[in-house]
Amino acid sequence: MSTSALKSPLPEAPRFPFARTCPIHPPPLYAQARTEQPVYKVTLWDDRKAWLILDYALVKQVLTDPRFSGRFSHPQFPAVTQARVAIDKQERAFIGMDNPEHDAYRRLFTREFSAKRMLALRPQITELTNRLIDEMLAQGSSADLVESLAVRLPSLVMCELFGSPYEDHVFIMSCAAGRHGLTQSAETAQQSARELVAYMRRLIDQKEKEPGDDMVSRIIADHVLTGGLSREDFAEIGAMILRGGHDTTTNMIGVGTYLLLQNPPLREKLAASPELMAGAIEEMLRFVSPVQFAPRRVALEDVEMGGVLIRQGEGVFPLLPAANRDACVFADPDTLDFDRDASGHLAFGYGIHQCLGQILARVELQVVFSALLQRIPTLRLAVPLEQIRFKSDMQIYGIYSLPVAW
Amino acid sequence: MNKQLGIFQVVVEDHKCVGAGQCVVVAPEVFDQRDEDGMVVLLQAQPDPALRPAVEKAVRLCPALAIRIEDR
């Protein structure tokens, strides 16, 4: 493009992560770099160099190429903070494994998150959502939507799945938050991680003594007691699932509500046509892409890609928010458009590690936004826009609190 | 002749499947998941040509690249 001569040159190996200039868009440097250097060299916290993958097709390629390892214990596995390195080395669940180990573990759990099973939870999730909305409305004429709904719904749903008592969810949330904060110290992050695993050990113990109709009891019966899965491995995997089922969905509910409140025409369109909801959720996922700095990979051998040579041992970040704003795939990518077909977005990742809970997340989001639009048509922001604080520093992007009124 | 009639075959490499279930969501007439482990079940290897767009979407969405269409 002829305007390229007028653009400022791309910074050379800038420090990553980059700052956002607007809360609802990824850092502008992604778009700027994508056209010229879709495999873009950056500098990490420890001065190591790594590569961002900013192009949709290349992100999919990396995530399906076994030359890029997802093994967290690899000595050169990249991380965005020192605290994250400490967490990575502690990871025992299959999120941090390559094949064949990964599949062997994941396949023990996939039936628990099957399409049929998750879609069947819709009535239950609807009931939980309505109960939370009742409680929020009972607060008066204003509340913090994040605290009242966005944090509680995914927690309640995970508690249902696991068969853990509701009073455990506050503890579970604080552990998850501790792991994801970019500004957390390594010690705090590790401590939070260990607490969640310890919680799982207690829950497994409980369920072994008193089985119920829940995932934990089924996994114990079908895999632990048959010798196919150790209690320790189950505790690690359970902790991973608990984390995965929280922050991401919570943050989508917060940011998604913010976007609807900021876009009255979009909100009215959705309220008037409920059949658009599923597609609108996909578009929200594409647009928000809350997983900011993952997935990560390390090259197991030299790979030529996007005009550069990635050397063996170098870290790679196939960035989901960047891929989801690739204009080659999504026309006018920075516009939130509920009429577009956003299927094929990469908010849940791609390849063997694609989010295990994605169908559950979709059901929760469809239910929550349908309920909000239907039950609180006068919902509005209770504070000026500028007062809304976004979690720029966290692994999972979102909003800290969303004061709303009705 | 098959191509003119829109006849196509669906091939699944189930050893690659990670049980994401996207195929089931977009083409439930063609794909299901096994109860015991959530792995893909191909319900019809030669679906009605009208289902081709849905199957093409399943091919595109499968994170494990485990599905392909063959025009035989």
Side-chain angles (χ1 to χ4, degrees), chain A residues 56 60 64 102-103 106-107 110-111 113-116 119 223 341 343-344 350-352 354 356 358-359 362, chain B residues 14-22 24-25 32-39 57 60-65:
Chain A
Y56 178 93
K60 287 179 97 169
T64 50
H102 166 271
D103 278 1
R106 180 161 168 151
R107 281 171 183 213
T110 39
R111 65 143 197 234
F113 293 90
S114 72
K116 202 164 18 198
L119 295 173
H223 300 306
D341 179 4
S343 71
Y350 198 67
I352 64 172
Q354 193 183 57
L356 179 65
Q358 59 180 301
I359 299 179
R362 287 182 168 102
Chain B
D14 54 14
H15 65 278
K16 291 182 176 174
C17 177
V18 288
Q22 299 309 287
V24 177
V25 173
D32 197 355
Q33 281 172 283
R34 276 205 300 252
D35 282 340
E36 61 265 32
D37 59 4
M39 293 297 107
K57 192 166 179 179
R60 184 166 61 90
L61 293 186
C62 173
L65 305 176

Side-chain angles (χ1 to χ4, degrees), chain B residues 8-11 23 26-27 29-31 42 44-45 47-62 67-70:
Chain B
F8 68 101
Q9 311 286 332
V10 184
V11 179
C23 56
V26 306
E29 305 89 338
V30 182
F31 305 99
L42 184 60
Q44 314 178 50
D48 189 287
L51 290 170
R52 186 175 182 129
V55 177
E56 282 177 350
K57 192 166 179 179
V59 169
R60 184 166 61 90
L61 293 186
C62 173
I67 309 171
R68 67 176 188 277
I69 285 176
E70 282 177 9

Side-chain angles (χ1 to χ4, degrees), chain A residues 15 94 183 194 198 251 283 292 302 306 320 355 362 395 406:
Chain A
R15 184 79 52 182
F94 57 79
T183 49
R194 279 195 293 271
N251 290 315
E283 172 64 349
Q292 298 200 87
D302 288 1
L320 308 180
C355 180
R362 287 182 168 102
Q395 290 281 344
W406 49 88

Side-chain angles (χ1 to χ4, degrees), chain A residues 333-349:
Chain A
D334 298 326
T335 297
L336 183 65
D337 175 7
F338 290 158
D339 289 318
R340 80 158 88 237
D341 179 4
S343 71
H345 70 76
L346 303 182
F348 291 115

